[in-house]
Amino acid sequence: AHRAALAGARAAGRVSARQEAYDLYRRAIDNMPDDLPVAEQARLYEEFSDAAAAIERNEDSLAAAKRARQQYLAAGMAIQAAGMLTTIGGCEGRDGGSVTRILECNAQAFIEVEAQPGSPEREAMLANLLSARAHDELDALQLDAAKADATEALARSEAIGDLEVAAEARLTAARIEIIRGNHASGLAAGLEAARGAREAGFESVSVTGYRNLAISAARVMDYAAAESAIGEGLRYADEIEQSHCRQMMAATSALMAWNAGRWDEADLIARQELAERGCRRGILGAIDVSGLVLMGRGEIDDARGRLDESLAAGRGVAELQFILPPLWGLQELDLLAGDPKSAAARGAEALDLTIASGERALLMPFVVPSVRALLALHRPDEAERWLAGARDHLAAWDVATAPLAHADALLRLATGSLGAARVDLEAAVLGWTERHRIWEATWARLDLAQVLMRMNRYAEAAAQLATARETAAGLRSVPLLAHADELARVARGRGAIQDAWHPLTAREFEVARLIADGFTNAEIADSLTIAPKTASAHVEHILAKLGVTRRAEIAAWTATVMLPAAPPARPAIHRPPSVEPSGASTAFVRVARP
């Protein structure tokens, strides 16, 4: 019975019949004879661990990997025992363990393998460990270390003829290039490596490559490349019955659908993936999408619950790809809920994390809401400084054009530079639309309408509002509809939404704040890095605009602006009668995926 089950399991594995392989390996273990050699037992448990991992039986996979390691050690097969540590780390990672723990397992494996005498087997394992470590270092955004290890893994694997490890190393190198900004060449090289691995029969390497390339392409807003990788990857994952990568690619396709404004489709895909059994990492993207749909539809409390759950899990994983997306969603929620202070704090955290790690793509969604939050807190000077830091970090990234132009426009609107703000917002609307980011594109269009209103171009503003409202209605987005209706109401009265510090400019308000803090003109000049004469001129302008004669009166006026709770960064949400809530349907429908 043991021999028949084992032969059947291996045959099922060769034709990618994953569930059958798992069941047959289980039967082989249940019928394992007492006198089976320890080395054969170890191999059996290792194969069963791989079969279990392929269908998300993660507890079984981890237990079998630990058992295989014990048996390899008992058989005196130290190199194979060390190799099982990478499987153990991977299993723990799938269950939400941190990347630090995964790297610890890999480090221990290196120690054990390097202690062994030289042999072809040792060289093969070192190449494999280097490739695995490069992959994990990349997830931890240790880019220099990942690049060095991937390069060495490629050289070692090619020297010994291990084409599978070589393909994996090439895929890791391609992803590094994407993260460093060379996304076009990186995606092309990565897709070539993934396809080559598929043709060579390296199933795990290929499907993992498709998954990672799809996620990387979506991360840099190259949705054409992402859809190509997902289309090929999902078909291949279904063909070989590999559920983990299929689930992560499906979650990525749901996120792209949300970004492109296909919210119903995004919600259906996310709900389906949440209904499927899978690992913790695999469902985090689906939780994010579910939260974003709820956010876009105005279901603030439910959205916060989803995104808080995802962020907590992401912090446990300790990888920015699982931390920053829900953090951004929560930042947007803070603005919708009228809490710019929390939104600004999330933006500060995002900037610190990305600068420290070298990550850039995941910072881009934070650019506009961070500036918006600081302006809502009446801190235009801090908004300028935050944006300057973000701009420096995103330098030379062409994909960052839209968020930077949009943020520049908000600052120019705050300083009264309406013509420049209009030009930037027109560029932002176009840029966001080209990147298939409908949420941001619609907010940019609403901001453009506000600029046009302040320029007394009400007919042009009305056209922008009509387009924005049509988009919002199609999305059934309560927040967008509420803001569009508020701007339309103001426009009908031929009014304009003024900044809190009106009639001062943003720079004059900075000076007024410093006056309220007791700064002299010389101290103001030093604090703002301007000439003393310029500081004195600002003070004179402030006195004239406010119609007062003393600095104490400036301080008193500033207190009336600063002391009340900051108003919502966006209008309070009132659900229009024509917009129904998204609801919480319990039906899970499988939908066609790209």
Side-chain angles (χ1 to χ4, degrees), residues 456-584:
N456 295 320
R457 295 177 176 272
Y458 291 100
E460 295 175 52
Q464 295 294 336
L465 287 174
T467 301
R469 201 183 192 290
E470 181 180 1
T471 300
L475 297 171
R476 303 200 309 281
S477 175
V478 173
L480 290 170
L481 282 166
H483 195 39
D485 289 346
E486 172 66 12
L487 288 175
R489 183 190 63 77
V490 173
R492 284 193 296 272
R494 288 296 190 266
I497 297 175
Q498 300 288 356
D499 293 311
W501 47 81
H502 183 77
L504 304 186
T505 67
R507 175 62 85 180
E508 289 167 348
F509 182 66
E510 294 172 29
V511 174
R513 281 180 39 232
L514 294 175
I515 291 172
D517 289 339
F519 281 47
T520 66
N521 284 9
E523 290 169 333
I524 290 171
D526 183 62
S527 176
L528 298 179
T529 319
I530 58 178
K533 287 185 178 180
T534 303
S536 298
H538 280 316
V539 174
E540 293 301 319
H541 293 157
I542 292 168
L543 291 169
K545 287 183 176 181
L546 297 183
V548 299
T549 58
R550 296 183 297 120
R551 296 170 78 93
E553 292 175 288
I554 294 176
W557 175 85
T558 303
T560 67
V561 177
M562 297 299 298
L563 285 179
R570 292 167 179 162
I573 297 172
H574 304 289
R575 189 182 306 283
S578 61
V579 179
E580 297 297 329
S582 60

Side-chain angles (χ1 to χ4, degrees), residues 320 324 327 331 343-360 362-364 366-367 370-371 374 382-394 404:
L320 291 193
L324 291 180
L327 187 69
Q331 183 186 43
R346 297 190 200 277
E349 180 184 1
L351 185 58
D352 288 345
L353 287 172
T354 53
I355 289 176
S357 65
E359 168 64 39
R360 289 178 175 83
L362 293 176
L363 175 64
M364 290 189 287
F366 289 89
V367 172
S370 295
V371 169
L374 290 167
E382 292 182 24
E384 287 181 0
R385 287 195 293 273
W386 190 96
L387 182 57
R391 189 187 308 280
D392 287 345
H393 191 52
L394 294 171
L404 292 174

Side-chain angles (χ1 to χ4, degrees), residues 263 271 290-307 333 336 476-479 573 575 579-584:
W263 288 6
R271 288 175 180 275
S290 178
L292 291 174
V293 171
L294 290 166
M295 176 192 78
R297 297 270 164 81
E299 306 292 333
I300 303 299
D301 292 340
D302 289 341
R304 191 176 299 279
R306 289 296 178 93
L307 293 169
L333 279 174
L336 294 177
R476 303 200 309 281
S477 175
V478 173
I573 297 172
R575 189 182 306 283
V579 179
E580 297 297 329
S582 60

Side-chain angles (χ1 to χ4, degrees), residues 218-219 221 223 255-261 263 292 295-296 325 328-329 331-332 335 361-370 372 399 401-407 409-410 424-448 464 468 471 475 477 480 483 570:
R219 197 157 154 176
M221 303 183 191
Y223 294 123
L255 179 59
M256 292 195 302
W258 187 87
N259 285 329
W263 288 6
L292 291 174
M295 176 192 78
W328 167 69
Q331 183 186 43
E332 291 280 8
L335 290 175
L362 293 176
L363 175 64
M364 290 189 287
F366 289 89
V367 172
V368 173
S370 295
R372 203 186 292 278
V399 292
T401 301
L404 292 174
H406 195 167
L410 295 179
D424 281 339
L425 281 169
E426 288 172 344
V429 170
L430 178 62
W432 284 126
T433 302
E434 288 177 343
R435 294 291 175 185
H436 304 280
R437 303 280 296 202
I438 299 304
W439 174 258
E440 290 94 342
T442 307
W443 281 113
R445 194 177 294 280
L446 292 170
D447 292 331
L448 176 58
Q464 295 294 336
T471 300
L475 297 171
S477 175
L480 290 170
H483 195 39
R570 292 167 179 162

